[in-house]
Amino acid sequence: MARAPTSVLDEAARATRPDARQSALAGFHALLVEGEIEKAKGRFDQALLKDPGQPWALYAKGLLASRVAHPEQALEASLDLLERAPSHPLAVSAARTLFESGKGKQRIGQI
């Protein structure tokens, strides 16, 4: 039987002692499944306290900044993701964010 697409998020949300990755995924559960932005922010912040380089939490930080019209914060989060996890698959999305902003050439030299 196939698992639900959100099963990884569901499991992370139920974790009693989540690690940084689970906290980040629980943040996505709060954001995407529950529609709770503040709860999601808390989970992402918790993940970054445990591991400041947690790729999913850094990606989420940029995503939320974009959604609330804070483009500079979104760019900072993207740059942070590229610096801390350059080989993670989410780094591609972070690089795209930088280049689409028109500030990519200026900022990419900082990496």
Side-chain angles (χ1 to χ4, degrees):
M1 181 175 208
R3 291 177 61 174
T6 60
S7 62
V8 172
L9 303 180
D10 296 337
E11 291 166 10
R14 289 190 303 267
T16 56
R17 297 177 68 168
D19 60 20
R21 182 177 181 273
Q22 288 172 319
S23 292
L25 294 178
F28 277 103
H29 184 275
L31 180 65
L32 301 172
V33 177
E34 299 172 26
E36 296 286 339
I37 293 174
E38 290 304 315
K39 183 177 180 181
K41 283 182 187 179
R43 296 293 178 119
F44 298 137
D45 289 343
Q46 181 183 47
L48 291 170
L49 284 174
K50 293 177 182 184
D51 177 4
Q54 210 304 313
W56 288 101
L58 291 170
Y59 177 77
K61 186 176 171 182
L63 179 67
L64 288 176
S66 293
R67 286 190 174 187
V68 295
H70 289 104
E72 282 301 317
Q73 290 176 6
L75 291 175
E76 288 301 320
S78 295
L79 185 59
D80 213 10
L81 174 54
L82 286 168
E83 289 174 341
R84 294 175 183 267
S87 62
H88 193 278
L90 289 173
V92 174
S93 180
R96 185 176 326 121
T97 298
L98 281 175
F99 283 108
E100 288 178 355
S101 74
K103 296 181 181 183
K105 290 181 183 177
Q106 299 165 348
R107 303 301 292 274
I108 204 75
Q110 297 175 4
I111 298 175

